[in-house]
Amino acid sequence: MANGATADDKSPSRLIDERIRALGDWRGEMLGRLRALILEADPDMVEEWKWRGVPVWYHDGMVCTGETYKTAVKMTFAKGAALDDPAGLFNASLDGNTRRAIDFHEGDAIDEPALKALVRAAVALNGKKGGKNG
């Protein structure tokens, strides 16, 4: 059965677990730490698996993604341009009108309180706009 299993056979959370393990290096550790902080910031966050293997977190709409590249783990906030970023975490995708991202590189420290505040602000923004549940 394992040989015939597809991504559809697994929950998004399980697929994210597998991605973190499969990376097997600092990127997996970083993605795991970011994921834990996202879920600590909002325990009602819903995890999804989109676009050929990208972890995505939702609460009243898309909050952020966790993409992995050769030299970075990119956390992209769907409505990041509308968020206050007092700690200056955003360091990528700064030119667009909607998204903002944080690129984490090997050895980078995470400002955990600031990141959690940013996640909570993104959830609050989703709650204000649209009024949809889910």
Side-chain angles (χ1 to χ4, degrees):
M1 182 169 171
N3 288 342
T6 66
D8 294 334
D9 296 333
K10 299 178 184 175
S11 72
S13 293
R14 186 168 171 192
L15 290 166
I16 295 168
D17 289 340
E18 290 178 4
R19 166 62 53 83
I20 290 167
R21 278 193 301 273
L23 286 165
D25 60 12
W26 71 268
R27 296 170 303 159
E29 291 175 22
M30 180 66 74
L31 182 59
R33 287 174 58 211
L34 294 173
R35 177 194 199 189
L37 292 170
I38 291 164
L39 297 175
E40 285 173 24
D42 181 8
D44 293 326
M45 194 73 69
V46 175
E47 297 187 306
E48 293 290 337
W49 185 255
K50 304 276 187 179
W51 313 300
R52 294 184 292 170
V54 175
V56 183
W57 290 273
Y58 287 88
H59 188 147
D60 291 333
M62 186 185 299
V63 174
C64 61
T65 64
E67 304 133 80
T68 52
Y69 298 96
K70 202 172 209 179
T71 62
V73 175
K74 181 182 288 287
M75 187 176 182
T76 303
F77 284 77
K79 298 177 184 174
L83 297 174
D84 288 332
D85 180 20
L89 297 180
F90 290 131
N91 63 10
S93 303
L94 301 175
D95 296 332
N97 293 328
T98 307
R99 296 179 300 125
R100 292 286 182 273
I102 306 166
D103 282 354
F104 294 95
H105 299 94
E106 188 170 8
D108 283 354
I110 301 171
D111 183 339
E112 294 185 6
L115 187 64
K116 286 181 177 182
L118 205 55
V119 169
R120 288 184 191 113
V123 170
L125 181 62
N126 281 353
K128 288 179 190 172
K129 309 243 177 176
K132 293 191 299 184
N133 291 327

